[in-house]
mmCIF file of all heavy atoms in Angstrom:
data_model
loop_
_atom_site.group_PDB
_atom_site.id
_atom_site.type_symbol
_atom_site.label_atom_id
_atom_site.label_comp_id
_atom_site.label_asym_id
_atom_site.label_seq_id
_atom_site.Cartn_x
_atom_site.Cartn_y
_atom_site.Cartn_z
ATOM 1 N N TYR A 275 45.472 113.048 188.927
ATOM 2 C CA TYR A 275 44.268 113.696 189.147
ATOM 3 C C TYR A 275 44.192 114.245 190.630
ATOM 4 O O TYR A 275 43.236 113.810 191.321
ATOM 5 C CB TYR A 275 42.976 112.971 188.845
ATOM 6 C CG TYR A 275 43.000 112.357 187.481
ATOM 7 C CD1 TYR A 275 43.300 111.078 187.246
ATOM 8 C CD2 TYR A 275 42.647 113.116 186.337
ATOM 9 C CE1 TYR A 275 43.328 110.362 186.040
ATOM 10 C CE2 TYR A 275 42.632 112.534 185.009
ATOM 11 C CZ TYR A 275 42.996 111.188 184.921
ATOM 12 O OH TYR A 275 42.980 110.486 183.638
ATOM 13 N N PRO A 276 45.040 115.040 191.112
ATOM 14 C CA PRO A 276 44.943 115.510 192.524
ATOM 15 C C PRO A 276 43.647 116.296 192.685
ATOM 16 O O PRO A 276 43.325 117.229 191.892
ATOM 17 C CB PRO A 276 46.122 116.384 192.744
ATOM 18 C CG PRO A 276 46.522 116.883 191.358
ATOM 19 C CD PRO A 276 46.097 115.684 190.382
ATOM 20 N N VAL A 277 42.799 115.936 193.595
ATOM 21 C CA VAL A 277 41.510 116.596 193.719
ATOM 22 C C VAL A 277 41.653 118.118 193.960
ATOM 23 O O VAL A 277 40.924 118.955 193.404
ATOM 24 C CB VAL A 277 40.708 115.947 194.820
ATOM 25 C CG1 VAL A 277 39.316 116.632 194.868
ATOM 26 C CG2 VAL A 277 40.500 114.463 194.472
ATOM 27 N N LEU A 278 42.587 118.483 194.903
ATOM 28 C CA LEU A 278 42.902 119.859 195.153
ATOM 29 C C LEU A 278 44.155 120.286 194.275
ATOM 30 O O LEU A 278 45.234 119.590 194.468
ATOM 31 C CB LEU A 278 43.143 120.099 196.555
ATOM 32 C CG LEU A 278 41.965 120.298 197.459
ATOM 33 C CD1 LEU A 278 42.414 120.348 198.929
ATOM 34 C CD2 LEU A 278 41.177 121.450 197.203
ATOM 35 N N PRO A 279 43.989 121.160 193.374
ATOM 36 C CA PRO A 279 45.151 121.383 192.404
ATOM 37 C C PRO A 279 46.303 122.170 193.086
ATOM 38 O O PRO A 279 47.327 122.275 192.563
ATOM 39 C CB PRO A 279 44.551 122.173 191.325
ATOM 40 C CG PRO A 279 43.319 122.812 191.921
ATOM 41 C CD PRO A 279 42.858 121.935 192.953
ATOM 42 N N ASN A 280 46.017 122.746 194.169
ATOM 43 C CA ASN A 280 47.056 123.566 194.849
ATOM 44 C C ASN A 280 46.764 123.602 196.418
ATOM 45 O O ASN A 280 45.671 123.300 196.855
ATOM 46 C CB ASN A 280 47.184 124.999 194.336
ATOM 47 C CG ASN A 280 45.869 125.803 194.774
ATOM 48 O OD1 ASN A 280 44.807 125.539 194.441
ATOM 49 N ND2 ASN A 280 46.159 126.822 195.644
ATOM 50 N N LEU A 281 47.820 123.953 197.160
ATOM 51 C CA LEU A 281 47.762 124.190 198.634
ATOM 52 C C LEU A 281 47.993 125.624 198.906
ATOM 53 O O LEU A 281 48.818 126.328 198.175
ATOM 54 C CB LEU A 281 48.722 123.294 199.386
ATOM 55 C CG LEU A 281 48.591 121.833 199.178
ATOM 56 C CD1 LEU A 281 49.797 121.106 199.801
ATOM 57 C CD2 LEU A 281 47.269 121.263 199.717
ATOM 58 N N ILE A 282 47.332 126.223 199.848
ATOM 59 C CA ILE A 282 47.568 127.581 200.297
ATOM 60 C C ILE A 282 47.984 127.703 201.748
ATOM 61 O O ILE A 282 47.435 127.036 202.592
ATOM 62 C CB ILE A 282 46.340 128.447 200.083
ATOM 63 C CG1 ILE A 282 45.800 128.392 198.684
ATOM 64 C CG2 ILE A 282 46.520 129.915 200.578
ATOM 65 C CD1 ILE A 282 46.686 129.243 197.716
ATOM 66 N N ARG A 283 48.990 128.402 202.019
ATOM 67 C CA ARG A 283 49.397 128.853 203.352
ATOM 68 C C ARG A 283 49.671 130.321 203.446
ATOM 69 O O ARG A 283 49.887 130.956 202.407
ATOM 70 C CB ARG A 283 50.614 128.111 203.748
ATOM 71 C CG ARG A 283 50.503 126.590 203.791
ATOM 72 C CD ARG A 283 49.591 126.092 204.939
ATOM 73 N NE ARG A 283 49.649 124.620 205.030
ATOM 74 C CZ ARG A 283 48.675 123.868 204.481
ATOM 75 N NH1 ARG A 283 47.815 124.378 203.631
ATOM 76 N NH2 ARG A 283 48.712 122.533 204.651
ATOM 77 N N LEU A 284 49.627 130.930 204.653
ATOM 78 C CA LEU A 284 49.828 132.327 204.815
ATOM 79 C C LEU A 284 51.018 132.478 205.780
ATOM 80 O O LEU A 284 51.129 131.796 206.754
ATOM 81 C CB LEU A 284 48.543 132.980 205.473
ATOM 82 C CG LEU A 284 48.207 134.362 205.350
ATOM 83 C CD1 LEU A 284 47.937 134.626 203.869
ATOM 84 C CD2 LEU A 284 46.949 134.804 206.172
ATOM 85 N N THR A 285 51.811 133.440 205.481
ATOM 86 C CA THR A 285 53.023 133.738 206.347
ATOM 87 C C THR A 285 52.469 134.386 207.625
ATOM 88 O O THR A 285 51.857 135.428 207.593
ATOM 89 C CB THR A 285 54.010 134.663 205.705
ATOM 90 O OG1 THR A 285 53.347 135.869 205.133
ATOM 91 C CG2 THR A 285 54.808 133.957 204.556
ATOM 92 N N LYS A 286 52.796 133.818 208.728
ATOM 93 C CA LYS A 286 52.407 134.318 210.028
ATOM 94 C C LYS A 286 53.146 135.519 210.465
ATOM 95 O O LYS A 286 52.639 136.436 211.203
ATOM 96 C CB LYS A 286 52.384 133.130 211.056
ATOM 97 C CG LYS A 286 51.690 133.506 212.307
ATOM 98 C CD LYS A 286 51.653 132.139 213.228
ATOM 99 C CE LYS A 286 50.813 132.338 214.413
ATOM 100 N NZ LYS A 286 50.777 131.171 215.268
ATOM 101 N N ASN A 287 54.490 135.365 210.179
ATOM 102 C CA ASN A 287 55.389 136.532 210.506
ATOM 103 C C ASN A 287 56.330 136.727 209.261
ATOM 104 O O ASN A 287 56.268 135.910 208.336
ATOM 105 C CB ASN A 287 56.242 136.172 211.688
ATOM 106 C CG ASN A 287 55.437 135.889 212.875
ATOM 107 O OD1 ASN A 287 55.264 134.661 213.260
ATOM 108 N ND2 ASN A 287 54.821 136.891 213.598
ATOM 109 N N ASP A 288 57.196 137.713 209.280
ATOM 110 C CA ASP A 288 58.170 137.913 208.236
ATOM 111 C C ASP A 288 59.086 136.549 208.184
ATOM 112 O O ASP A 288 59.413 136.115 209.225
ATOM 113 C CB ASP A 288 58.993 139.063 208.446
ATOM 114 C CG ASP A 288 58.303 140.457 208.243
ATOM 115 O OD1 ASP A 288 57.077 140.405 207.811
ATOM 116 O OD2 ASP A 288 58.941 141.442 208.450
ATOM 117 N N TYR A 289 59.323 136.093 206.946
ATOM 118 C CA TYR A 289 60.044 134.838 206.830
ATOM 119 C C TYR A 289 61.234 134.947 205.925
ATOM 120 O O TYR A 289 61.002 135.347 204.730
ATOM 121 C CB TYR A 289 59.104 133.805 206.405
ATOM 122 C CG TYR A 289 59.696 132.445 206.151
ATOM 123 C CD1 TYR A 289 59.993 131.677 207.204
ATOM 124 C CD2 TYR A 289 59.949 131.871 204.875
ATOM 125 C CE1 TYR A 289 60.521 130.336 207.015
ATOM 126 C CE2 TYR A 289 60.456 130.613 204.632
ATOM 127 C CZ TYR A 289 60.838 129.909 205.773
ATOM 128 O OH TYR A 289 61.333 128.616 205.533
ATOM 129 N N GLN A 290 62.404 134.599 206.336
ATOM 130 C CA GLN A 290 63.545 134.597 205.562
ATOM 131 C C GLN A 290 63.626 133.344 204.862
ATOM 132 O O GLN A 290 63.710 132.227 205.413
ATOM 133 C CB GLN A 290 64.751 134.759 206.527
ATOM 134 C CG GLN A 290 66.151 134.592 205.719
ATOM 135 C CD GLN A 290 66.531 135.855 205.136
ATOM 136 O OE1 GLN A 290 66.580 136.930 205.798
ATOM 137 N NE2 GLN A 290 66.953 135.784 203.846
ATOM 138 N N VAL A 291 63.572 133.390 203.550
ATOM 139 C CA VAL A 291 63.681 132.236 202.675
ATOM 140 C C VAL A 291 64.996 131.599 202.740
ATOM 141 O O VAL A 291 66.009 132.338 202.497
ATOM 142 C CB VAL A 291 63.244 132.558 201.170
ATOM 143 C CG1 VAL A 291 63.430 131.246 200.355
ATOM 144 C CG2 VAL A 291 61.949 133.160 201.056
ATOM 145 N N PRO A 292 65.179 130.320 203.146
ATOM 146 C CA PRO A 292 66.564 129.815 203.377
ATOM 147 C C PRO A 292 67.458 129.898 202.185
ATOM 148 O O PRO A 292 66.989 129.718 201.009
ATOM 149 C CB PRO A 292 66.264 128.371 203.755
ATOM 150 C CG PRO A 292 64.884 128.394 204.375
ATOM 151 C CD PRO A 292 64.110 129.437 203.561
ATOM 152 N N ASN A 293 68.660 130.170 202.434
ATOM 153 C CA ASN A 293 69.756 130.182 201.339
ATOM 154 C C ASN A 293 69.427 131.295 200.358
ATOM 155 O O ASN A 293 69.996 131.303 199.168
ATOM 156 C CB ASN A 293 69.772 128.823 200.658
ATOM 157 C CG ASN A 293 70.109 127.811 201.672
ATOM 158 O OD1 ASN A 293 70.959 127.872 202.533
ATOM 159 N ND2 ASN A 293 69.328 126.666 201.379
ATOM 160 N N THR A 294 68.661 132.377 200.780
ATOM 161 C CA THR A 294 68.432 133.454 199.833
ATOM 162 C C THR A 294 68.472 134.753 200.678
ATOM 163 O O THR A 294 68.473 134.806 201.915
ATOM 164 C CB THR A 294 67.036 133.471 199.067
ATOM 165 O OG1 THR A 294 66.066 133.741 199.996
ATOM 166 C CG2 THR A 294 66.815 132.035 198.418
ATOM 167 N N GLN A 295 68.395 135.853 199.996
ATOM 168 C CA GLN A 295 68.289 137.200 200.635
ATOM 169 C C GLN A 295 66.775 137.660 200.746
ATOM 170 O O GLN A 295 66.523 138.770 201.272
ATOM 171 C CB GLN A 295 69.020 138.348 199.803
ATOM 172 C CG GLN A 295 70.524 137.986 199.773
ATOM 173 C CD GLN A 295 71.197 137.875 201.096
ATOM 174 O OE1 GLN A 295 71.002 138.753 201.956
ATOM 175 N NE2 GLN A 295 72.051 136.867 201.286
ATOM 176 N N HIS A 296 65.858 136.829 200.225
ATOM 177 C CA HIS A 296 64.475 137.270 200.195
ATOM 178 C C HIS A 296 63.761 137.119 201.542
ATOM 179 O O HIS A 296 63.983 136.059 202.242
ATOM 180 C CB HIS A 296 63.711 136.445 199.156
ATOM 181 C CG HIS A 296 64.203 136.556 197.849
ATOM 182 N ND1 HIS A 296 64.393 137.788 197.195
ATOM 183 C CD2 HIS A 296 64.808 135.652 197.020
ATOM 184 C CE1 HIS A 296 64.941 137.616 195.942
ATOM 185 N NE2 HIS A 296 65.123 136.317 195.679
ATOM 186 N N ILE A 297 62.992 138.039 201.891
ATOM 187 C CA ILE A 297 62.126 138.013 203.079
ATOM 188 C C ILE A 297 60.696 138.123 202.686
ATOM 189 O O ILE A 297 60.257 138.997 201.940
ATOM 190 C CB ILE A 297 62.522 139.105 204.049
ATOM 191 C CG1 ILE A 297 63.868 138.908 204.601
ATOM 192 C CG2 ILE A 297 61.464 139.042 205.263
ATOM 193 C CD1 ILE A 297 64.356 140.031 205.556
ATOM 194 N N LEU A 298 59.881 137.105 202.964
ATOM 195 C CA LEU A 298 58.469 137.121 202.669
ATOM 196 C C LEU A 298 57.717 137.836 203.863
ATOM 197 O O LEU A 298 57.861 137.487 205.020
ATOM 198 C CB LEU A 298 57.940 135.750 202.609
ATOM 199 C CG LEU A 298 58.695 134.796 201.643
ATOM 200 C CD1 LEU A 298 57.937 133.327 201.596
ATOM 201 C CD2 LEU A 298 58.680 135.354 200.257
ATOM 202 N N GLU A 299 57.010 138.946 203.497
ATOM 203 C CA GLU A 299 56.387 139.764 204.601
ATOM 204 C C GLU A 299 55.204 139.025 205.197
ATOM 205 O O GLU A 299 54.640 138.093 204.615
ATOM 206 C CB GLU A 299 55.890 141.042 203.953
ATOM 207 C CG GLU A 299 56.958 141.961 203.505
ATOM 208 C CD GLU A 299 56.416 143.289 203.037
ATOM 209 O OE1 GLU A 299 55.230 143.345 202.921
ATOM 210 O OE2 GLU A 299 57.255 144.161 202.774
ATOM 211 N N LYS A 300 54.913 139.367 206.459
ATOM 212 C CA LYS A 300 53.783 138.767 207.067
ATOM 213 C C LYS A 300 52.470 138.994 206.310
ATOM 214 O O LYS A 300 52.271 140.063 205.727
ATOM 215 C CB LYS A 300 53.681 139.463 208.483
ATOM 216 C CG LYS A 300 52.433 138.978 209.324
ATOM 217 C CD LYS A 300 52.289 139.833 210.571
ATOM 218 C CE LYS A 300 51.064 139.474 211.342
ATOM 219 N NZ LYS A 300 50.941 140.080 212.614
ATOM 220 N N GLY A 301 51.661 137.901 206.227
ATOM 221 C CA GLY A 301 50.392 137.971 205.602
ATOM 222 C C GLY A 301 50.471 137.649 204.139
ATOM 223 O O GLY A 301 49.386 137.747 203.384
ATOM 224 N N ILE A 302 51.626 137.331 203.554
ATOM 225 C CA ILE A 302 51.820 136.934 202.152
ATOM 226 C C ILE A 302 51.224 135.556 201.935
ATOM 227 O O ILE A 302 51.486 134.653 202.692
ATOM 228 C CB ILE A 302 53.227 137.045 201.684
ATOM 229 C CG1 ILE A 302 53.552 138.537 201.609
ATOM 230 C CG2 ILE A 302 53.355 136.437 200.249
ATOM 231 C CD1 ILE A 302 52.999 139.318 200.500
ATOM 232 N N MET A 303 50.362 135.325 200.873
ATOM 233 C CA MET A 303 49.958 134.075 200.658
ATOM 234 C C MET A 303 51.001 133.225 199.925
ATOM 235 O O MET A 303 51.873 133.764 199.259
ATOM 236 C CB MET A 303 48.709 134.105 199.600
ATOM 237 C CG MET A 303 47.459 134.646 200.160
ATOM 238 S SD MET A 303 46.155 134.564 198.982
ATOM 239 C CE MET A 303 45.832 132.797 199.051
ATOM 240 N N THR A 304 51.007 131.880 200.265
ATOM 241 C CA THR A 304 52.019 130.904 199.610
ATOM 242 C C THR A 304 51.070 129.924 198.857
ATOM 243 O O THR A 304 50.380 129.211 199.488
ATOM 244 C CB THR A 304 52.763 130.286 200.739
ATOM 245 O OG1 THR A 304 53.446 131.316 201.557
ATOM 246 C CG2 THR A 304 53.851 129.340 200.168
ATOM 247 N N VAL A 305 51.342 129.830 197.579
ATOM 248 C CA VAL A 305 50.687 128.902 196.694
ATOM 249 C C VAL A 305 51.652 127.840 196.345
ATOM 250 O O VAL A 305 52.742 128.036 195.755
ATOM 251 C CB VAL A 305 50.194 129.635 195.413
ATOM 252 C CG1 VAL A 305 49.532 128.676 194.478
ATOM 253 C CG2 VAL A 305 49.261 130.830 195.779
ATOM 254 N N ILE A 306 51.200 126.567 196.623
ATOM 255 C CA ILE A 306 51.954 125.339 196.231
ATOM 256 C C ILE A 306 51.193 124.603 195.203
ATOM 257 O O ILE A 306 50.093 123.993 195.357
ATOM 258 C CB ILE A 306 52.191 124.440 197.484
ATOM 259 C CG1 ILE A 306 52.912 125.268 198.581
ATOM 260 C CG2 ILE A 306 52.887 123.145 197.152
ATOM 261 C CD1 ILE A 306 53.020 124.576 199.921
ATOM 262 N N PRO A 307 51.751 124.607 193.863
ATOM 263 C CA PRO A 307 51.020 124.137 192.738
ATOM 264 C C PRO A 307 51.093 122.602 192.594
ATOM 265 O O PRO A 307 51.887 122.011 191.893
ATOM 266 C CB PRO A 307 51.810 124.779 191.598
ATOM 267 C CG PRO A 307 53.203 124.923 192.071
ATOM 268 C CD PRO A 307 53.111 125.156 193.609
ATOM 269 N N VAL A 308 50.205 121.821 193.436
ATOM 270 C CA VAL A 308 50.336 120.440 193.472
ATOM 271 C C VAL A 308 50.151 119.712 192.210
ATOM 272 O O VAL A 308 50.958 118.918 191.814
ATOM 273 C CB VAL A 308 49.185 119.884 194.491
ATOM 274 C CG1 VAL A 308 49.140 118.414 194.469
ATOM 275 C CG2 VAL A 308 49.422 120.417 195.754
ATOM 276 N N HIS A 309 49.109 120.167 191.374
ATOM 277 C CA HIS A 309 48.873 119.597 190.091
ATOM 278 C C HIS A 309 50.049 119.689 189.152
ATOM 279 O O HIS A 309 50.431 118.692 188.515
ATOM 280 C CB HIS A 309 47.674 120.184 189.477
ATOM 281 C CG HIS A 309 47.304 119.569 188.106
ATOM 282 N ND1 HIS A 309 47.922 119.952 186.929
ATOM 283 C CD2 HIS A 309 46.429 118.560 187.753
ATOM 284 C CE1 HIS A 309 47.413 119.197 185.917
ATOM 285 N NE2 HIS A 309 46.536 118.351 186.377
ATOM 286 N N ALA A 310 50.638 120.805 189.159
ATOM 287 C CA ALA A 310 51.881 121.060 188.236
ATOM 288 C C ALA A 310 53.079 120.225 188.682
ATOM 289 O O ALA A 310 53.758 119.654 187.816
ATOM 290 C CB ALA A 310 52.232 122.588 188.301
ATOM 291 N N ILE A 311 53.296 120.039 189.930
ATOM 292 C CA ILE A 311 54.407 119.240 190.442
ATOM 293 C C ILE A 311 54.162 117.848 190.152
ATOM 294 O O ILE A 311 55.080 117.115 189.734
ATOM 295 C CB ILE A 311 54.664 119.489 192.000
ATOM 296 C CG1 ILE A 311 55.094 120.961 192.202
ATOM 297 C CG2 ILE A 311 55.678 118.484 192.514
ATOM 298 C CD1 ILE A 311 55.095 121.446 193.646
ATOM 299 N N HIS A 312 52.964 117.330 190.266
ATOM 300 C CA HIS A 312 52.556 116.017 190.030
ATOM 301 C C HIS A 312 52.818 115.648 188.527
ATOM 302 O O HIS A 312 52.953 114.456 188.201
ATOM 303 C CB HIS A 312 51.204 115.760 190.341
ATOM 304 C CG HIS A 312 50.919 115.433 191.797
ATOM 305 N ND1 HIS A 312 49.882 115.076 192.343
ATOM 306 C CD2 HIS A 312 51.745 115.840 192.858
ATOM 307 C CE1 HIS A 312 49.862 115.045 193.682
ATOM 308 N NE2 HIS A 312 51.032 115.549 194.025
ATOM 309 N N HIS A 313 52.859 116.627 187.595
ATOM 310 C CA HIS A 313 52.928 116.435 186.246
ATOM 311 C C HIS A 313 54.323 116.904 185.669
ATOM 312 O O HIS A 313 54.533 117.087 184.502
ATOM 313 C CB HIS A 313 51.846 117.125 185.380
ATOM 314 C CG HIS A 313 50.554 116.468 185.659
ATOM 315 N ND1 HIS A 313 49.932 115.656 184.680
ATOM 316 C CD2 HIS A 313 49.619 116.440 186.664
ATOM 317 C CE1 HIS A 313 48.697 115.178 185.080
ATOM 318 N NE2 HIS A 313 48.577 115.630 186.363
ATOM 319 N N ASP A 314 55.277 117.119 186.614
ATOM 320 C CA ASP A 314 56.588 117.508 186.185
ATOM 321 C C ASP A 314 57.383 116.292 185.794
ATOM 322 O O ASP A 314 57.605 115.350 186.657
ATOM 323 C CB ASP A 314 57.227 118.216 187.419
ATOM 324 C CG ASP A 314 58.646 118.867 186.979
ATOM 325 O OD1 ASP A 314 59.202 118.360 186.014
ATOM 326 O OD2 ASP A 314 58.989 119.797 187.679
ATOM 327 N N PRO A 315 57.911 116.249 184.517
ATOM 328 C CA PRO A 315 58.693 114.954 184.106
ATOM 329 C C PRO A 315 59.938 114.853 184.863
ATOM 330 O O PRO A 315 60.570 113.703 184.797
ATOM 331 C CB PRO A 315 58.871 115.275 182.592
ATOM 332 C CG PRO A 315 58.677 116.729 182.359
ATOM 333 C CD PRO A 315 57.657 117.188 183.436
ATOM 334 N N GLU A 316 60.479 115.855 185.510
ATOM 335 C CA GLU A 316 61.707 115.685 186.258
ATOM 336 C C GLU A 316 61.501 114.688 187.436
ATOM 337 O O GLU A 316 62.381 113.986 187.800
ATOM 338 C CB GLU A 316 62.198 117.061 186.924
ATOM 339 C CG GLU A 316 63.434 116.936 187.797
ATOM 340 C CD GLU A 316 63.819 118.302 188.324
ATOM 341 O OE1 GLU A 316 63.361 119.299 187.920
ATOM 342 O OE2 GLU A 316 64.600 118.329 189.342
ATOM 343 N N TYR A 317 60.268 114.736 187.984
ATOM 344 C CA TYR A 317 59.899 113.846 189.121
ATOM 345 C C TYR A 317 59.176 112.605 188.682
ATOM 346 O O TYR A 317 59.305 111.489 189.278
ATOM 347 C CB TYR A 317 59.122 114.610 190.147
ATOM 348 C CG TYR A 317 59.709 115.919 190.498
ATOM 349 C CD1 TYR A 317 58.979 117.155 190.405
ATOM 350 C CD2 TYR A 317 60.973 115.997 191.013
ATOM 351 C CE1 TYR A 317 59.490 118.356 190.761
ATOM 352 C CE2 TYR A 317 61.507 117.239 191.357
ATOM 353 C CZ TYR A 317 60.781 118.424 191.227
ATOM 354 O OH TYR A 317 61.316 119.645 191.572
ATOM 355 N N TYR A 318 58.366 112.712 187.595
ATOM 356 C CA TYR A 318 57.621 111.667 187.081
ATOM 357 C C TYR A 318 57.759 111.566 185.699
ATOM 358 O O TYR A 318 56.991 112.185 184.878
ATOM 359 C CB TYR A 318 56.098 111.877 187.484
ATOM 360 C CG TYR A 318 55.829 111.997 189.053
ATOM 361 C CD1 TYR A 318 55.728 113.239 189.587
ATOM 362 C CD2 TYR A 318 55.739 110.808 189.785
ATOM 363 C CE1 TYR A 318 55.577 113.261 191.000
ATOM 364 C CE2 TYR A 318 55.583 110.861 191.142
ATOM 365 C CZ TYR A 318 55.382 112.145 191.738
ATOM 366 O OH TYR A 318 55.301 112.279 193.105
ATOM 367 N N PRO A 319 58.698 110.758 185.121
ATOM 368 C CA PRO A 319 58.861 110.646 183.629
ATOM 369 C C PRO A 319 57.631 110.177 182.972
ATOM 370 O O PRO A 319 56.855 109.376 183.541
ATOM 371 C CB PRO A 319 60.026 109.619 183.561
ATOM 372 C CG PRO A 319 60.721 109.702 184.946
ATOM 373 C CD PRO A 319 59.753 110.022 185.876
ATOM 374 N N ASP A 320 57.352 110.662 181.738
ATOM 375 C CA ASP A 320 56.116 110.398 181.016
ATOM 376 C C ASP A 320 54.964 110.608 182.006
ATOM 377 O O ASP A 320 54.146 109.722 182.259
ATOM 378 C CB ASP A 320 56.179 108.941 180.504
ATOM 379 C CG ASP A 320 57.328 108.730 179.603
ATOM 380 O OD1 ASP A 320 57.628 109.499 178.720
ATOM 381 O OD2 ASP A 320 57.950 107.708 179.787
ATOM 382 N N PRO A 321 54.742 111.891 182.495
ATOM 383 C CA PRO A 321 53.714 111.956 183.623
ATOM 384 C C PRO A 321 52.328 111.776 183.227
ATOM 385 O O PRO A 321 51.500 111.504 184.145
ATOM 386 C CB PRO A 321 53.933 113.548 183.846
ATOM 387 C CG PRO A 321 54.553 114.131 182.654
ATOM 388 C CD PRO A 321 55.411 113.170 182.119
ATOM 389 N N GLU A 322 51.953 111.715 181.920
ATOM 390 C CA GLU A 322 50.557 111.468 181.608
ATOM 391 C C GLU A 322 50.303 109.900 181.480
ATOM 392 O O GLU A 322 49.105 109.477 181.426
ATOM 393 C CB GLU A 322 50.211 112.087 180.260
ATOM 394 C CG GLU A 322 50.484 113.613 180.167
ATOM 395 C CD GLU A 322 49.763 114.391 181.369
ATOM 396 O OE1 GLU A 322 48.595 114.007 181.703
ATOM 397 O OE2 GLU A 322 50.432 115.209 181.894
#
């Protein structure tokens, strides 16, 4: 039961995603899905 289900960050400048050809433009929101990751059976078997 993570109280905040996600984290938000904003790209301050253009950002080259490591090991990819993708560039995130300045000002793009970044959503980190905390609740979903906490319930991923790959990391937490039988997550419920």
